[in-house]
Each structure stands twice: as structure tokens, then as C-alpha cells.
Amino acid sequence: VDFQKQDGVTEMEESIMANQVERSLNDLLLEDELNGKLTINRKPIYVSCVSNFTNFLDLFRKTIRNMELGIPCVVLGRSNTVQHSYRWTELLTELLKEENIDPGMITYLSCTLEDIVKITTGCKEATGMLYTTSSRDLARTIKSGYPNTVASTGGPNTLL
């Protein structure tokens, strides 16, 4: 279901529906792995977003879905996006501890765009996908140095 651009309440309703579907898909992936049909790559992934409500829901979904599969996540922040994503990562780390889940499953990294490109490019062999919700220009910059990038640009159904 695509609700197009909408208010925050509708965004949350859409997210709740998507969460249910995504959790079910993850359950099927884990079942297939247990049955030897596939192997889930558990290299750490990168997740980033700009600080607005819709993109923040994307950050949550991309991070949680990967962590459900046992994939560690590195949340990327920059000077103009650092406050909300850092606080969210801090809260998630505390929740992981309360649930007896290794808090090392999530890491926060804040640096300049140039440093993000250097780090992701330098760690290509040791890391998995990079998921970002950003402008098209930012997505192109990131993807130019890290081909394993999935970028949502201009809305939840626009991928680069």
C-alpha cells in the first residue's frame, strides 16, 4: 500500500503495516536458513537517514529488520543529522541491554561525508550493505564509493 506523501499519523500507520510484513519475511528467511536453503550474510551493515519524521521511520525499520536477522548495524550520522539519530541509537542500546541482547549489535558513527566515504570504501570487504534515506545527490556520492548501497530518495518507493 502506498499512501504517497502524508502526515505523521498516516506515516506511522503505514509503518506499522510494513513492520508486520517485514517481520514475517524475516521469519521466513530465518526458517530457510535453518533448513539449509540459504545463508544470511551477517557482515555489519550501515544505515543512515536525514532527520525528518518519514526518514526516521525508515532508519528504524532498516536497523531493526537487520538486527532481527543477527546482522550488526552501524548508524551513520553527520553534523546536521547527529542529534536525533544519536539519541535514538542510545535508547536502542539501552533496550538491547534490558532484553539481554548484545549491545554491540548497534554502533553509532558520526563524521563528515568525506570521512563516511573513506570509512565505507576502506571497509568494503568486512561490511555488508549500506541503506540510506537521503537526497539523490547525497545518495550518488555515497554510492560512488560504496556500490552495495540501497538509497531511498524522494520517498519510500524511489530507489537509486
Side-chain angles (χ1 to χ4, degrees), residues 126-147:
T127 53
M129 298 299 293
L130 188 156
Y131 299 98
T132 186
T133 304
S134 63
S135 70
R136 289 188 172 120
D137 288 340
L138 178 56
R140 277 189 200 97
T141 299
I142 293 171
K143 193 170 179 74
S144 70
Y146 201 81

Side-chain angles (χ1 to χ4, degrees), residues 62-117:
K62 291 168 185 168
T63 303
I64 295 300
R65 295 292 84 83
N66 279 281
M67 289 176 63
E68 284 175 345
L69 296 172
I71 301 169
C73 299
V74 179
V75 177
L76 300 174
R78 296 184 303 140
S79 61
N80 60 333
T81 63
V82 75
Q83 181 180 11
H84 302 296
S85 56
Y86 174 76
R87 288 181 183 172
W88 179 80
T89 303
E90 192 174 42
L91 287 170
L92 183 55
T93 300
E94 291 305 313
L95 286 171
L96 291 174
K97 290 176 189 175
E98 288 175 21
E99 296 295 325
N100 295 316
I101 299 171
D102 179 6
M105 289 293 293
I106 191 152
T107 302
Y108 188 81
L109 174 64
S110 177
C111 52
T112 65
L113 178 57
E114 294 76 24
D115 286 338
I116 287 172
V117 171

Side-chain angles (χ1 to χ4, degrees), residues 115-130:
D115 286 338
I116 287 172
V117 171
K118 285 180 195 174
I119 290 165
T120 56
T121 302
C123 296
K124 279 184 197 174
E125 301 303 316
T127 53
M129 298 299 293
L130 188 156

